[in-house]
């Protein structure tokens, strides 16, 4: 193991840590398997309950639970679902066209080639970075189509249930396809991970980066189907002021005759986050989603159905129960959100720049403290990675998550304090990122061995200094 700090640390030569199983083999505990099975079965069955709660129970989880306890509540949910059933076939067609359109843009649009991280088997995959172009084109086509009456500008709000059922069906079929593909036609056989459990394999995935030709299923599903549909559901507010007739914000306009400032704040912050995602697509190919997590139900169904249904809950809520914020509250929430965004982006940029320049850069006015960690891939080759130990990354090992959490809270805060349901995004981000930090620690420790221990000695806290 060698330690290279751009401060005056000495190089110490120790034999590199070798663990050919990092990122590839795991034996899940029984409760993990049960958890995976529960999510695979329950998520598609119940993911529209939050929407029903907004529609039928004043957005109150308490009222929804009471409603489910008596038959009237159950009937009203079933009736509401049945009322939208005739549109499901139409919605399936619309959704199918949407997915094919996104796949076509993914494959044909030009873009520079970026490279992901080295995989456990030693592969380094190319990605055509054209997400931003695809995103702008999609929004442009959507607006033009609505202006020229090719489709109803309010199509998402009107066909909401049908489209969400279609998204869930697509995510479920995609999960099955990648599960079978991993066994019969894997893109990179040596980058598969088998857990020995059917449910765990379905949930967490077997292939790391499955592809059909030029179509990288993971980047496509999260980045295009997921993030772009989040936009189409959510971004309407920005076009709302122009067309006054789009999706959720448009529903609010029709119902109340105005769009409340809370809705505008939610849209500004969420669209900032989405736009950032597309501007930084190259960076995204080296994050955990693409570089480390395998492709199963979690990312397939999650990208297709969870993102557009749950990440947009605040807008769904505000479309029914507008909250008018005072100027000072509006400004405070906006500033908090922009601060969270800045922290999120600045910390991720620090890591990117430090790695790209091999530590020859300036972070917070100084040369960064870095540590060179070693790992081996299953083809027997030894590689090095740079671990940044200063800047945001010197405060805690996952401090980049803090900015995201602050921003997530600001995205929910405009919904006020009447109900907790619209805070679902913040709650799920907190759970997701804490769980992710635990998973990542485990993976990095297997990957880097003693080098990771050295890094932990340098940066002792995982998320919040002094606490965790
Ligand atoms: P990171 O971008 O933090 O990536 C973690 C990886 O970075 C580790 O596995 C390791 O990979 C490398 N690494 C760890 N420590 C260091 C260090 N000190 N210096 C350099 N590299 C290091 O995690 P995520 O991919 O989870 O998150 C990226 C961003 O996306 C975050 O800001 C997060 O908040 C956000 N996010 C948002 C989600 C959403 O749904 N809105 C969901 C998930 C994430 P290696 O093997 O290369 O060393």
């Amino acid at each position: 193991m060698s330690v290279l700090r751009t401060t005056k640390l000495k190089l110490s030569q120790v034999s590199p840590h070798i663990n050919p199983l990092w990122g590839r083999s795991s034996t899940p505990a029984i409760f993990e398997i049960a958890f995976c099975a529960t999510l695979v079965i329950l998520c598609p069955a119940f993911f529209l309950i939050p929407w029903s709660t907004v529609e039928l129970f004043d957005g109150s989880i308490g009222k929804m639970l009471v409603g489910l306890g008596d038959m009237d509540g159950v009937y009203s949910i079933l009736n509401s679902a049945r009322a939208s059933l005739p549109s499901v076939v139409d919605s399936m067609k619309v959704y199918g066209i949407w997915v094919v359109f996104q796949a076509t843009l993914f494959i044909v649009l030009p873009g520079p080639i970026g490279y992901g991280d080295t995989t456990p088997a030693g592969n380094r995959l190319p990605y055509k970075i054209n997400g931003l172009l695809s995103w702008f084109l999609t929004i442009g086509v959507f607006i033009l189509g609505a202006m020229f009456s090719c489709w109803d500008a309010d199509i998402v709000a009107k066909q909401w249930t049908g489209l969400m059922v279609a998204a869930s069906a697509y995510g479920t079929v995609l999960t099955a396809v990648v599960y079978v593909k991993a066994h019969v036609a894997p893109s990179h056989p040596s980058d598969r991970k088998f857990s020995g459990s059917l449910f765990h394999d379905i949930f967490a995935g077997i292939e790391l980066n499955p592809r059909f030709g030029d179509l990288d299923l993971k980047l496509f599903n999260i980045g295009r189907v997921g993030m772009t549909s989040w936009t189409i559901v959510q971004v309407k507010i920005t076009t709302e002021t122009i067309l006054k007739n789009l999706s959720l914000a448009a529903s609010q306009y029709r119902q109340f005759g105005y769009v409340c400032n809370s809705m505008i704040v939610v849209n500004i912050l969420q669209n900032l986050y989405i736009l950032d995602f597309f501007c930084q697509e190259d960076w995204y190919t080296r994050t955990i989603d693409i570089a480390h997590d395998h492709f199963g139900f979690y990312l397939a169904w999650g990208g297709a159905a969870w993102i557009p249904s749950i990440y947009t809950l605040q807008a769904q809520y505000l479309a029914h129960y507008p909250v008018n914020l005072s100027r000072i509250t509006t400004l405070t929430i906006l500033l908090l959100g922009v601060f969270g965004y800045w922290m999120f982006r600045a910390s991720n940029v620090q890591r990117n720049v430090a790695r790209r320049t091999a530590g020859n850069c300036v972070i917070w006015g100084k040369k960064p403290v870095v540590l060179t960690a070693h790992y081996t891939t299953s083809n027997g080759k030894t590689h090095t990675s740079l671990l940044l130990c200063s800047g945001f990354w010197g405060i805690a090992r996952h401090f980049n998550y803090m900015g995201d959490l602050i921003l997530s809270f600001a995205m929910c805060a405009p919904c006020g304090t009447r109900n907790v349901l619209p805070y679902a995004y913040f709650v799920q981000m907190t759970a997701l990122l804490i769980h992710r930090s635990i998973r990542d620690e485990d993976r990095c420790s297997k990957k880097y061995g003693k080098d990771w221990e050295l890094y932990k000695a340098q940066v002792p806290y995982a998320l919040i200094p002094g606490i965790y």
Side-chain angles (χ1 to χ4, degrees), residues 22 117 227 230 273 283-284 286-289 291-292 298 307 311 344 347-348 351 355 385-389 393 397-398 400-402 404-405 425 428-429 432-433 436 440 443-444 447-448 452 455:
W22 68 268
D117 273 345
M227 295 301 279
W230 181 3
Y273 192 63
W283 157 80
Y284 182 64
R286 291 181 293 280
T287 60
I288 290 178
D289 280 353
H292 308 318
Y298 166 61
I307 289 181
Y311 284 25
F344 155 79
S347 53
N348 286 310
R351 183 183 78 125
R355 281 201 162 172
S385 276
L386 181 144
L387 297 176
L388 178 60
C389 310
W393 297 79
R397 296 191 295 278
H398 301 278
N400 56 337
Y401 292 168
M402 286 308 292
D404 212 338
L405 290 178
Y425 177 71
Q428 79 103 40
M429 282 299 283
L432 184 146
L433 292 178
R436 189 173 270 238
D440 194 46
R443 193 192 69 87
C444 288
K447 180 176 178 180
Y448 296 122
W452 188 254
Y455 170 56

Side-chain angles (χ1 to χ4, degrees), residues 373-386:
H374 294 81
Y375 66 98
T376 49
T377 43
S378 61
N379 54 14
K381 290 193 178 151
T382 300
H383 308 260
T384 56
S385 276
L386 181 144

